[in-house]
Amino acid sequence: MKKKLLLGVAVVLVVLLAVFGRDLLGMYRLLDYIDTTTQAYETEGPWPHTADACIGCHGKQGTSLHQRYPSLAGQPTEYLQAQLHAFAKGQRINPNMQPLAMTLTEEEILKLANHYAAQTPLENHWFKPDPALREQGERLATAGACTACHGEKLMGQALFPRLAGQGADYLQVQLDAFAEGRRVDPTGSMKAITATLSAEDRKALAHYLASLVPASK
């Protein structure tokens, strides 16, 4: 009797595994993934993180998947601080960034800037440049001496942002804003440079910069 009972239980288990095995394995993997990612998340401190509000537009760890929104990964700390202050003071206009920046304390601004500056910038795989525009943009970048402010590999330095691998649409919008006086940089150099560029030139420059593979730190 006992053997028959054990055999019956074994048969039931085999049937359950056959029917629900894939679902059970999927559930196990899901739970393992949640546990692993939760542990990784908690190494940066308790929930919520200040950077959580940024993920929707700027992507996980500061790598944006949308050409319209900038990637923050690898941007210089000083630049990120300066831009958050500019948004908070209304010196730089954006309907999403202004109210968010105004809620941040100095400590939170520094924490955010340090966090994103420490992230590894990734290649912009989601953008395929027009070859002719890219070539034109490279000539313009060389002639405009972009490396003088943005660094030898255009990875940014101090108050100057990383341009390599940024979103193409974002880059073009910012170049247009500088050219039209809707955005101002402290040195005034961007106004002077973009004033000499046509709309097509600015598009070409955006194509070239977006296609660059960010250099590793």
PDB file of all heavy atoms in Angstrom, residues 51-66 69-73 112 115-116 119 122 126:
ATOM      1  N   ALA A  51      18.323  59.046  -8.727  1.00  0.00           N
ATOM      2  CA  ALA A  51      18.391  58.868 -10.175  1.00  0.00           C
ATOM      3  C   ALA A  51      17.183  58.134 -10.749  1.00  0.00           C
ATOM      4  O   ALA A  51      17.016  58.089 -11.979  1.00  0.00           O
ATOM      5  CB  ALA A  51      19.666  58.105 -10.540  1.00  0.00           C
ATOM      6  N   ASP A  52      16.332  57.579  -9.896  1.00  0.00           N
ATOM      7  CA  ASP A  52      15.179  56.823 -10.407  1.00  0.00           C
ATOM      8  C   ASP A  52      14.277  57.690 -11.288  1.00  0.00           C
ATOM      9  O   ASP A  52      13.691  57.209 -12.253  1.00  0.00           O
ATOM     10  CB  ASP A  52      14.356  56.247  -9.246  1.00  0.00           C
ATOM     11  CG  ASP A  52      15.067  55.107  -8.540  1.00  0.00           C
ATOM     12  OD1 ASP A  52      16.064  54.604  -9.097  1.00  0.00           O
ATOM     13  OD2 ASP A  52      14.644  54.719  -7.447  1.00  0.00           O
ATOM     14  N   ALA A  53      14.166  58.957 -10.951  1.00  0.00           N
ATOM     15  CA  ALA A  53      13.296  59.859 -11.722  1.00  0.00           C
ATOM     16  C   ALA A  53      13.861  60.156 -13.107  1.00  0.00           C
ATOM     17  O   ALA A  53      13.153  60.662 -13.975  1.00  0.00           O
ATOM     18  CB  ALA A  53      13.102  61.164 -10.953  1.00  0.00           C
ATOM     19  N   CYS A  54      15.138  59.826 -13.325  1.00  0.00           N
ATOM     20  CA  CYS A  54      15.795  60.159 -14.587  1.00  0.00           C
ATOM     21  C   CYS A  54      15.710  59.040 -15.618  1.00  0.00           C
ATOM     22  O   CYS A  54      15.943  59.275 -16.812  1.00  0.00           O
ATOM     23  CB  CYS A  54      17.267  60.486 -14.341  1.00  0.00           C
ATOM     24  SG  CYS A  54      17.568  61.680 -13.019  1.00  0.00           S
ATOM     25  N   ILE A  55      15.396  57.827 -15.166  1.00  0.00           N
ATOM     26  CA  ILE A  55      15.479  56.654 -16.039  1.00  0.00           C
ATOM     27  C   ILE A  55      14.530  56.748 -17.229  1.00  0.00           C
ATOM     28  O   ILE A  55      14.875  56.357 -18.340  1.00  0.00           O
ATOM     29  CB  ILE A  55      15.202  55.372 -15.234  1.00  0.00           C
ATOM     30  CG1 ILE A  55      16.329  55.154 -14.211  1.00  0.00           C
ATOM     31  CG2 ILE A  55      15.086  54.161 -16.160  1.00  0.00           C
ATOM     32  CD1 ILE A  55      16.091  53.984 -13.278  1.00  0.00           C
ATOM     33  N   GLY A  56      13.326  57.277 -17.015  1.00  0.00           N
ATOM     34  CA  GLY A  56      12.326  57.327 -18.076  1.00  0.00           C
ATOM     35  C   GLY A  56      12.827  57.989 -19.348  1.00  0.00           C
ATOM     36  O   GLY A  56      12.536  57.527 -20.455  1.00  0.00           O
ATOM     37  N   CYS A  57      13.585  59.070 -19.212  1.00  0.00           N
ATOM     38  CA  CYS A  57      14.097  59.790 -20.390  1.00  0.00           C
ATOM     39  C   CYS A  57      15.553  59.446 -20.709  1.00  0.00           C
ATOM     40  O   CYS A  57      15.920  59.287 -21.874  1.00  0.00           O
ATOM     41  CB  CYS A  57      13.981  61.291 -20.181  1.00  0.00           C
ATOM     42  SG  CYS A  57      12.290  61.906 -20.081  1.00  0.00           S
ATOM     43  N   HIS A  58      16.374  59.347 -19.662  1.00  0.00           N
ATOM     44  CA  HIS A  58      17.814  59.215 -19.871  1.00  0.00           C
ATOM     45  C   HIS A  58      18.315  57.776 -19.825  1.00  0.00           C
ATOM     46  O   HIS A  58      19.511  57.536 -20.018  1.00  0.00           O
ATOM     47  CB  HIS A  58      18.561  60.073 -18.847  1.00  0.00           C
ATOM     48  CG  HIS A  58      18.215  61.519 -18.930  1.00  0.00           C
ATOM     49  ND1 HIS A  58      18.633  62.321 -19.972  1.00  0.00           N
ATOM     50  CD2 HIS A  58      17.463  62.311 -18.122  1.00  0.00           C
ATOM     51  CE1 HIS A  58      18.159  63.555 -19.787  1.00  0.00           C
ATOM     52  NE2 HIS A  58      17.449  63.571 -18.684  1.00  0.00           N
ATOM     53  N   GLY A  59      17.412  56.835 -19.577  1.00  0.00           N
ATOM     54  CA  GLY A  59      17.782  55.433 -19.633  1.00  0.00           C
ATOM     55  C   GLY A  59      18.475  54.912 -18.394  1.00  0.00           C
ATOM     56  O   GLY A  59      18.926  55.664 -17.535  1.00  0.00           O
ATOM     57  N   LYS A  60      18.538  53.588 -18.333  1.00  0.00           N
ATOM     58  CA  LYS A  60      19.206  52.928 -17.214  1.00  0.00           C
ATOM     59  C   LYS A  60      20.685  53.272 -17.213  1.00  0.00           C
ATOM     60  O   LYS A  60      21.348  53.220 -18.246  1.00  0.00           O
ATOM     61  CB  LYS A  60      19.018  51.412 -17.334  1.00  0.00           C
ATOM     62  CG  LYS A  60      19.593  50.621 -16.177  1.00  0.00           C
ATOM     63  CD  LYS A  60      19.364  49.135 -16.390  1.00  0.00           C
ATOM     64  CE  LYS A  60      19.967  48.329 -15.242  1.00  0.00           C
ATOM     65  NZ  LYS A  60      19.805  46.867 -15.465  1.00  0.00           N
ATOM     66  N   GLN A  61      21.182  53.686 -16.061  1.00  0.00           N
ATOM     67  CA  GLN A  61      22.586  54.069 -15.880  1.00  0.00           C
ATOM     68  C   GLN A  61      23.006  55.164 -16.864  1.00  0.00           C
ATOM     69  O   GLN A  61      24.167  55.269 -17.244  1.00  0.00           O
ATOM     70  CB  GLN A  61      23.499  52.840 -16.018  1.00  0.00           C
ATOM     71  CG  GLN A  61      23.260  51.811 -14.909  1.00  0.00           C
ATOM     72  CD  GLN A  61      24.109  50.585 -15.051  1.00  0.00           C
ATOM     73  OE1 GLN A  61      24.349  50.111 -16.158  1.00  0.00           O
ATOM     74  NE2 GLN A  61      24.579  50.061 -13.940  1.00  0.00           N
ATOM     75  N   GLY A  62      22.024  55.978 -17.259  1.00  0.00           N
ATOM     76  CA  GLY A  62      22.345  57.164 -18.048  1.00  0.00           C
ATOM     77  C   GLY A  62      22.568  56.941 -19.524  1.00  0.00           C
ATOM     78  O   GLY A  62      23.080  57.828 -20.210  1.00  0.00           O
ATOM     79  N   THR A  63      22.184  55.768 -20.046  1.00  0.00           N
ATOM     80  CA  THR A  63      22.302  55.516 -21.480  1.00  0.00           C
ATOM     81  C   THR A  63      20.923  55.582 -22.106  1.00  0.00           C
ATOM     82  O   THR A  63      20.114  54.664 -21.961  1.00  0.00           O
ATOM     83  CB  THR A  63      22.945  54.145 -21.758  1.00  0.00           C
ATOM     84  OG1 THR A  63      24.276  54.143 -21.243  1.00  0.00           O
ATOM     85  CG2 THR A  63      22.987  53.865 -23.259  1.00  0.00           C
ATOM     86  N   SER A  64      20.651  56.667 -22.802  1.00  0.00           N
ATOM     87  CA  SER A  64      19.340  56.878 -23.395  1.00  0.00           C
ATOM     88  C   SER A  64      19.151  56.000 -24.624  1.00  0.00           C
ATOM     89  O   SER A  64      20.071  55.802 -25.419  1.00  0.00           O
ATOM     90  CB  SER A  64      19.179  58.348 -23.794  1.00  0.00           C
ATOM     91  OG  SER A  64      17.966  58.548 -24.487  1.00  0.00           O
ATOM     92  N   LEU A  65      17.928  55.477 -24.792  1.00  0.00           N
ATOM     93  CA  LEU A  65      17.598  54.679 -25.963  1.00  0.00           C
ATOM     94  C   LEU A  65      16.848  55.516 -27.009  1.00  0.00           C
ATOM     95  O   LEU A  65      16.448  54.992 -28.042  1.00  0.00           O
ATOM     96  CB  LEU A  65      16.728  53.476 -25.561  1.00  0.00           C
ATOM     97  CG  LEU A  65      17.321  52.547 -24.517  1.00  0.00           C
ATOM     98  CD1 LEU A  65      16.382  51.379 -24.256  1.00  0.00           C
ATOM     99  CD2 LEU A  65      18.691  52.032 -24.949  1.00  0.00           C
ATOM    100  N   HIS A  66      16.681  56.785 -26.736  1.00  0.00           N
ATOM    101  CA  HIS A  66      15.923  57.673 -27.624  1.00  0.00           C
ATOM    102  C   HIS A  66      16.849  58.793 -28.089  1.00  0.00           C
ATOM    103  O   HIS A  66      17.534  59.428 -27.280  1.00  0.00           O
ATOM    104  CB  HIS A  66      14.734  58.268 -26.865  1.00  0.00           C
ATOM    105  CG  HIS A  66      13.695  58.884 -27.738  1.00  0.00           C
ATOM    106  ND1 HIS A  66      13.943  59.988 -28.521  1.00  0.00           N
ATOM    107  CD2 HIS A  66      12.403  58.562 -27.965  1.00  0.00           C
ATOM    108  CE1 HIS A  66      12.865  60.333 -29.181  1.00  0.00           C
ATOM    109  NE2 HIS A  66      11.906  59.477 -28.868  1.00  0.00           N
ATOM    110  N   TYR A  69      16.618  62.321 -26.331  1.00  0.00           N
ATOM    111  CA  TYR A  69      17.038  62.572 -24.955  1.00  0.00           C
ATOM    112  C   TYR A  69      18.526  62.282 -24.788  1.00  0.00           C
ATOM    113  O   TYR A  69      19.021  61.264 -25.281  1.00  0.00           O
ATOM    114  CB  TYR A  69      16.240  61.712 -23.978  1.00  0.00           C
ATOM    115  CG  TYR A  69      14.750  61.957 -24.043  1.00  0.00           C
ATOM    116  CD1 TYR A  69      13.873  60.977 -24.487  1.00  0.00           C
ATOM    117  CD2 TYR A  69      14.215  63.180 -23.664  1.00  0.00           C
ATOM    118  CE1 TYR A  69      12.505  61.204 -24.561  1.00  0.00           C
ATOM    119  CE2 TYR A  69      12.853  63.417 -23.730  1.00  0.00           C
ATOM    120  CZ  TYR A  69      12.002  62.424 -24.177  1.00  0.00           C
ATOM    121  OH  TYR A  69      10.661  62.668 -24.246  1.00  0.00           O
ATOM    122  N   PRO A  70      19.246  63.144 -24.092  1.00  0.00           N
ATOM    123  CA  PRO A  70      20.699  62.946 -23.970  1.00  0.00           C
ATOM    124  C   PRO A  70      21.068  61.803 -23.038  1.00  0.00           C
ATOM    125  O   PRO A  70      20.364  61.530 -22.070  1.00  0.00           O
ATOM    126  CB  PRO A  70      21.178  64.285 -23.395  1.00  0.00           C
ATOM    127  CG  PRO A  70      20.010  64.780 -22.602  1.00  0.00           C
ATOM    128  CD  PRO A  70      18.796  64.366 -23.391  1.00  0.00           C
ATOM    129  N   SER A  71      22.168  61.156 -23.354  1.00  0.00           N
ATOM    130  CA  SER A  71      22.753  60.182 -22.442  1.00  0.00           C
ATOM    131  C   SER A  71      23.608  60.945 -21.435  1.00  0.00           C
ATOM    132  O   SER A  71      24.370  61.839 -21.799  1.00  0.00           O
ATOM    133  CB  SER A  71      23.609  59.167 -23.208  1.00  0.00           C
ATOM    134  OG  SER A  71      22.801  58.282 -23.948  1.00  0.00           O
ATOM    135  N   LEU A  72      23.461  60.583 -20.169  1.00  0.00           N
ATOM    136  CA  LEU A  72      24.188  61.267 -19.100  1.00  0.00           C
ATOM    137  C   LEU A  72      25.442  60.499 -18.677  1.00  0.00           C
ATOM    138  O   LEU A  72      26.314  61.067 -18.015  1.00  0.00           O
ATOM    139  CB  LEU A  72      23.280  61.452 -17.884  1.00  0.00           C
ATOM    140  CG  LEU A  72      21.951  62.183 -18.148  1.00  0.00           C
ATOM    141  CD1 LEU A  72      21.170  62.325 -16.850  1.00  0.00           C
ATOM    142  CD2 LEU A  72      22.184  63.546 -18.784  1.00  0.00           C
ATOM    143  N   ALA A  73      25.518  59.241 -19.054  1.00  0.00           N
ATOM    144  CA  ALA A  73      26.656  58.411 -18.649  1.00  0.00           C
ATOM    145  C   ALA A  73      27.969  59.001 -19.146  1.00  0.00           C
ATOM    146  O   ALA A  73      28.110  59.318 -20.324  1.00  0.00           O
ATOM    147  CB  ALA A  73      26.479  56.995 -19.190  1.00  0.00           C
ATOM    148  N   LEU A 112      23.792  63.111  -7.914  1.00  0.00           N
ATOM    149  CA  LEU A 112      23.392  62.751  -9.276  1.00  0.00           C
ATOM    150  C   LEU A 112      24.553  62.940 -10.261  1.00  0.00           C
ATOM    151  O   LEU A 112      24.809  62.078 -11.110  1.00  0.00           O
ATOM    152  CB  LEU A 112      22.217  63.622  -9.725  1.00  0.00           C
ATOM    153  CG  LEU A 112      20.811  63.131  -9.422  1.00  0.00           C
ATOM    154  CD1 LEU A 112      19.794  64.167  -9.873  1.00  0.00           C
ATOM    155  CD2 LEU A 112      20.538  61.795 -10.108  1.00  0.00           C
ATOM    156  N   HIS A 115      27.125  60.288  -9.775  1.00  0.00           N
ATOM    157  CA  HIS A 115      26.599  58.990 -10.192  1.00  0.00           C
ATOM    158  C   HIS A 115      26.715  58.820 -11.697  1.00  0.00           C
ATOM    159  O   HIS A 115      27.242  57.807 -12.183  1.00  0.00           O
ATOM    160  CB  HIS A 115      25.130  58.864  -9.781  1.00  0.00           C
ATOM    161  CG  HIS A 115      24.418  57.691 -10.397  1.00  0.00           C
ATOM    162  ND1 HIS A 115      24.664  56.383 -10.015  1.00  0.00           N
ATOM    163  CD2 HIS A 115      23.483  57.629 -11.384  1.00  0.00           C
ATOM    164  CE1 HIS A 115      23.913  55.566 -10.740  1.00  0.00           C
ATOM    165  NE2 HIS A 115      23.194  56.294 -11.565  1.00  0.00           N
ATOM    166  N   TYR A 116      26.252  59.800 -12.459  1.00  0.00           N
ATOM    167  CA  TYR A 116      26.269  59.660 -13.910  1.00  0.00           C
ATOM    168  C   TYR A 116      27.673  59.810 -14.489  1.00  0.00           C
ATOM    169  O   TYR A 116      28.001  59.176 -15.491  1.00  0.00           O
ATOM    170  CB  TYR A 116      25.298  60.642 -14.547  1.00  0.00           C
ATOM    171  CG  TYR A 116      23.871  60.180 -14.411  1.00  0.00           C
ATOM    172  CD1 TYR A 116      22.931  60.931 -13.697  1.00  0.00           C
ATOM    173  CD2 TYR A 116      23.463  58.978 -14.963  1.00  0.00           C
ATOM    174  CE1 TYR A 116      21.623  60.487 -13.556  1.00  0.00           C
ATOM    175  CE2 TYR A 116      22.158  58.537 -14.822  1.00  0.00           C
ATOM    176  CZ  TYR A 116      21.241  59.285 -14.122  1.00  0.00           C
ATOM    177  OH  TYR A 116      19.962  58.828 -13.980  1.00  0.00           O
ATOM    178  N   GLN A 119      29.348  56.437 -14.641  1.00  0.00           N
ATOM    179  CA  GLN A 119      28.811  55.384 -15.503  1.00  0.00           C
ATOM    180  C   GLN A 119      29.593  55.306 -16.822  1.00  0.00           C
ATOM    181  O   GLN A 119      30.115  56.300 -17.311  1.00  0.00           O
ATOM    182  CB  GLN A 119      27.330  55.631 -15.809  1.00  0.00           C
ATOM    183  CG  GLN A 119      26.449  55.774 -14.585  1.00  0.00           C
ATOM    184  CD  GLN A 119      26.570  54.606 -13.629  1.00  0.00           C
ATOM    185  OE1 GLN A 119      26.462  53.450 -14.026  1.00  0.00           O
ATOM    186  NE2 GLN A 119      26.791  54.914 -12.361  1.00  0.00           N
ATOM    187  N   LEU A 122      28.071  54.250 -23.480  1.00  0.00           N
ATOM    188  CA  LEU A 122      27.993  53.197 -24.482  1.00  0.00           C
ATOM    189  C   LEU A 122      27.814  53.775 -25.885  1.00  0.00           C
ATOM    190  O   LEU A 122      27.375  54.904 -26.056  1.00  0.00           O
ATOM    191  CB  LEU A 122      26.822  52.263 -24.160  1.00  0.00           C
ATOM    192  CG  LEU A 122      26.840  51.604 -22.775  1.00  0.00           C
ATOM    193  CD1 LEU A 122      25.613  50.712 -22.598  1.00  0.00           C
ATOM    194  CD2 LEU A 122      28.124  50.800 -22.565  1.00  0.00           C
ATOM    195  N   TRP A 126      21.664  52.724 -31.748  1.00  0.00           N
ATOM    196  CA  TRP A 126      20.318  52.931 -32.266  1.00  0.00           C
ATOM    197  C   TRP A 126      20.258  53.989 -33.367  1.00  0.00           C
ATOM    198  O   TRP A 126      19.185  54.296 -33.863  1.00  0.00           O
ATOM    199  CB  TRP A 126      19.385  53.298 -31.114  1.00  0.00           C
ATOM    200  CG  TRP A 126      19.446  52.272 -30.030  1.00  0.00           C
ATOM    201  CD1 TRP A 126      18.689  51.126 -29.931  1.00  0.00           C
ATOM    202  CD2 TRP A 126      20.330  52.261 -28.916  1.00  0.00           C
ATOM    203  NE1 TRP A 126      19.054  50.412 -28.817  1.00  0.00           N
ATOM    204  CE2 TRP A 126      20.059  51.077 -28.177  1.00  0.00           C
ATOM    205  CE3 TRP A 126      21.330  53.120 -28.460  1.00  0.00           C
ATOM    206  CZ2 TRP A 126      20.748  50.748 -27.008  1.00  0.00           C
ATOM    207  CZ3 TRP A 126      22.016  52.784 -27.307  1.00  0.00           C
ATOM    208  CH2 TRP A 126      21.729  51.613 -26.600  1.00  0.00           C
TER     209      TRP A 126
END
